[in-house]
Amino acid sequence: MPEGKLEIRQLGGSYRREARSLLYQAYRHEPTFAYLFEQDRPGYDQRVRASVRELVERHFDEQLPALGLVLDDRLIGIALVSPPTKRFDITESWMWRLRMVLTAGFRCTRRYLDYHQAVLDSLPPGEYSVLPLIGIHPEFQGHGHGLQLLEALHDWCADDEHSKGVVLDTGNARYLEFYQRLGYQEVGQVAIGPVLEHVLYHPNPQRSAVA
């Protein structure tokens, strides 16, 4: 893969479309989404696309932080951040719920709400940032870009005096070793149908040596 200029950017609403496209590509084959949005039933891609769209739109509407990894002006990685000082539970919005039911269907919306609540119930107490969605475009995976994005996120949190750590969850077991090498600790497990969701916490991230 040709080398180019890589940089971390704090993303504004002008990146909505790119963020939706990237996160759809990153999540459409993930085990958790495959169960939540019923991969074996026709219309799966449309349900995932609609769900990602509603999550991204609400995130930017609430002006919550988003960090992007940009290669030659192309967005190749993104982390949506819900910081402790502006924590917003997207599922509390009745408009979001209505739009989800209309686009993803009642059953898939119910599954997503149950999943979301189960993860929230397993979170540790304290002030920390939560990552509702994080991903690297599949075309750029396997080149260390996930590490770059997470290190930038940890640096961002280290500069936030209100954030004492980072929480994320994954139902993809192949990511566990990667997160654990970076200092994430498993604080909970949630059964999402046949998927075991792992809730991971990184306490007190410090600035990386190359920040």
Side-chain angles (χ1 to χ4, degrees):
M1 179 176 296
E3 294 295 328
K5 180 183 179 183
L6 272 171
E7 60 178 315
I8 294 291
R9 295 180 186 174
Q10 292 201 37
L11 306 179
S14 63
Y15 278 91
R16 291 172 190 245
R17 184 173 181 177
E18 289 180 80
R20 294 196 307 261
S21 176
L22 189 158
L23 288 168
Y24 162 72
Q25 294 292 339
Y27 276 88
R28 61 192 294 258
H29 295 303
E30 286 301 301
T32 304
F33 271 51
Y35 170 75
L36 293 176
F37 301 109
E38 301 180 321
Q39 186 178 40
D40 294 334
R41 188 163 62 87
Y44 170 71
D45 283 348
Q46 290 87 342
R47 291 190 293 276
V48 173
R49 192 183 298 275
S51 303
V52 168
R53 180 184 67 236
E54 296 305 325
L55 292 167
V56 169
E57 289 297 314
R58 194 68 184 175
H59 191 90
F60 281 110
D61 284 348
E62 293 298 318
Q63 299 183 335
L64 296 175
L67 293 185
L69 182 62
V70 179
L71 175 64
D72 292 336
D73 288 328
R74 177 182 177 183
L75 185 66
I76 66 169
I78 187 172
L80 302 186
V81 187
S82 181
T85 54
K86 199 176 180 182
R87 186 69 56 77
F88 178 74
D89 184 355
I90 196 170
T91 61
E92 292 179 353
S93 166
W94 283 104
M95 181 58 68
W96 178 87
R97 291 188 182 209
L98 176 60
R99 290 176 66 88
M100 280 288 290
V101 169
L102 292 175
T103 55
F106 177 81
R107 186 165 55 190
C108 291
T109 300
R110 182 72 264 166
R111 282 187 176 188
Y112 186 89
L113 291 171
D114 291 344
Y115 145 75
H116 182 78
Q117 188 60 53
V119 171
L120 286 180
D121 290 344
S122 69
L123 297 183
E127 296 182 330
Y128 46 81
S129 297
V130 177
L131 304 184
L133 292 174
I134 180 172
I136 300 294
H137 192 286
E139 182 181 339
F140 296 92
Q141 292 176 5
H143 299 278
H145 296 316
L147 174 61
Q148 292 172 293
L149 182 59
L150 278 172
E151 286 184 340
L153 173 72
H154 295 165
D155 292 342
W156 185 85
C157 289
D159 291 337
D160 181 357
E161 62 181 6
H162 301 288
S163 183
K164 306 303 181 186
V166 180
V167 169
L168 56 82
D169 62 278
T170 181
N172 196 329
R174 70 187 180 93
Y175 294 148
L176 289 179
E177 183 180 353
F178 168 70
Y179 287 128
Q180 290 166 353
R181 287 203 315 266
L182 292 179
Y184 282 84
Q185 306 164 5
E186 187 167 291
V187 294
Q189 295 182 352
V190 179
I192 310 296
V195 179
L196 185 62
E197 195 78 6
H198 302 267
V199 183
L200 305 169
Y201 175 57
H202 191 308
N204 298 319
Q206 301 297 313
R207 271 195 160 272
S208 62
V210 296

